[in-house]
Amino acid sequence: MSTAEFVTFEQTGSIARITLNRPEKLNAIDYQVGAELYDAFARCEPDPSIRAIVLAGAGRAFCAGDELGRERTPDEQLSLSRRGAIKHYVQGPGRWTATVRLMRHLTQPIVVRIQGYAYGAGFNLALGADFRVMARDARMATPFIKRGMATGANLLQQYVGIGKAIEMTLLGEPVPAEEALRLNLVNEVVPLDELDAAVEKWATLLANGPSAAIGLTKHAVYRGWDQDPDEAYWHQGSAVTQGRDLEDHIEGVAAFKEKRQPNFTGR
């Protein structure tokens, strides 16, 4: 899309900041928001100057989920007729599901800033990232069942196991921040007034890391997660082998031998 109206993109140094900017709707996702969000992440993929990504939501909520009850756009109607209902849901234009898949395939690590609510599609976007930092008064939920809607696991069971995933999806109750931390749904919980500093800490740490090696590792971990050990070790071996010739690997070994901090360049 040529001009983004509801998703802002800003790069500060080696950190890209993508912000859902529809605060009056609690950053609910409609077709335009979904398409702009996908485009923002796609913009990061080929850019070696971007070494970490922050995803945030403007206003008092990260993302309240899909905007319910809206009319489909002509592009969505066309996708529905060509792809069919299921394939449109997963791969259609403006669909958050396609964005989550892209997030998992990007080499750059992604940190999500969560305040207020991360519900439904917003919850799934958060789980699609690599790190989540949450305000202490925020909530997460998969509330589909409370609206009479069926849903599935998406990435939830990877974090909480099948038993808790069933509980969260069949009851739809909000999960407070401290419980989300205990369940490994988030990496850190802080007071709201410390949220920006905490997100910056994570993003800076990752941006200053060995970016090429981080990308190889991210791919190997996610691809190997639900594979048998032989397949998982294949992905791990692929990452290790490709990483041996990286400049950051040479620098990391040298720094270890010289008992100093490494100076990673991302190559």
Side-chain angles (χ1 to χ4, degrees):
M1 303 179 70
S2 56
T3 302
E5 183 179 355
F6 296 118
V7 175
T8 65
F9 185 100
E10 177 187 7
Q11 185 174 350
T12 306
S14 55
I15 301 172
R17 304 174 194 279
I18 298 171
T19 304
L20 297 165
N21 191 26
R22 200 186 183 205
E24 73 283 358
K25 293 285 189 178
L26 300 180
N27 300 314
I29 300 175
D30 62 5
Y31 167 77
Q32 185 171 350
V33 173
E36 291 180 8
L37 185 61
Y38 186 93
D39 287 349
F41 277 108
R43 179 175 172 180
C44 298
E45 187 170 24
D47 191 341
S49 73
I50 296 174
R51 297 172 62 182
I53 302 167
V54 172
L55 174 62
R60 62 190 182 93
F62 167 62
C63 177
D66 273 318
E67 182 176 354
L68 302 180
R70 64 181 178 83
E71 296 292 326
R72 289 194 179 98
T73 68
D75 282 347
E76 289 177 299
Q77 291 286 8
L78 181 61
S79 171
L80 189 64
S81 63
R82 287 182 173 178
R83 291 181 170 93
I86 296 175
K87 195 170 183 180
H88 167 75
Y89 179 90
V90 176
Q91 300 177 0
R95 292 294 305 147
W96 58 264
T97 46
T99 299
V100 167
R101 185 175 184 275
L102 174 60
M103 291 166 69
R104 278 293 177 96
H105 281 79
L106 288 178
T107 58
Q108 297 98 333
I110 303 168
V111 182
V112 172
R113 178 192 186 277
I114 302 170
Q115 85 284 12
Y117 309 101
Y119 279 17
F123 178 64
N124 284 297
L125 280 174
L127 293 189
D130 307 298
F131 300 90
R132 286 152 295 280
V133 185
M134 190 173 184
R136 186 157 288 141
D137 60 352
R139 299 287 186 271
M140 310 178 96
T142 56
F144 304 96
I145 206 73
K146 288 182 174 294
R147 294 159 179 74
M149 300 167 61
T151 189
N154 198 268
L155 301 173
L156 178 59
Q157 82 285 359
Q158 293 187 2
Y159 295 96
V160 301
I162 192 68
K164 193 66 180 181
I166 281 289
E167 178 184 327
M168 290 179 65
T169 53
L170 296 193
L171 298 181
E173 296 295 336
V175 176
E178 294 295 345
E179 176 70 358
L181 181 64
R182 188 186 71 80
L183 291 171
N184 297 318
L185 288 169
V186 297
N187 300 89
E188 186 176 9
V189 170
V190 297
L192 180 60
D193 60 0
E194 298 177 17
L195 185 58
D196 287 329
V199 170
E200 188 69 16
K201 177 193 70 175
W202 282 92
T204 300
L205 177 66
L206 292 161
N208 290 339
S211 301
I214 286 174
L216 290 171
T217 301
K218 175 177 172 177
H219 175 80
V221 170
Y222 287 141
R223 288 296 300 273
W225 171 255
D226 58 354
Q227 304 294 327
D228 62 50
D230 286 342
E231 187 71 16
Y233 279 129
W234 180 267
H235 289 298
Q236 180 174 326
S238 175
V240 171
T241 302
Q242 293 178 72
R244 283 175 179 157
D245 294 327
L246 295 174
E247 291 180 19
D248 280 340
H249 171 66
I250 297 170
E251 165 64 9
V253 172
F256 174 77
K257 291 180 178 178
E258 296 165 13
K259 296 182 171 56
R260 60 174 174 82
Q261 289 295 316
N263 180 27
F264 293 127
T265 63
R267 297 188 291 272

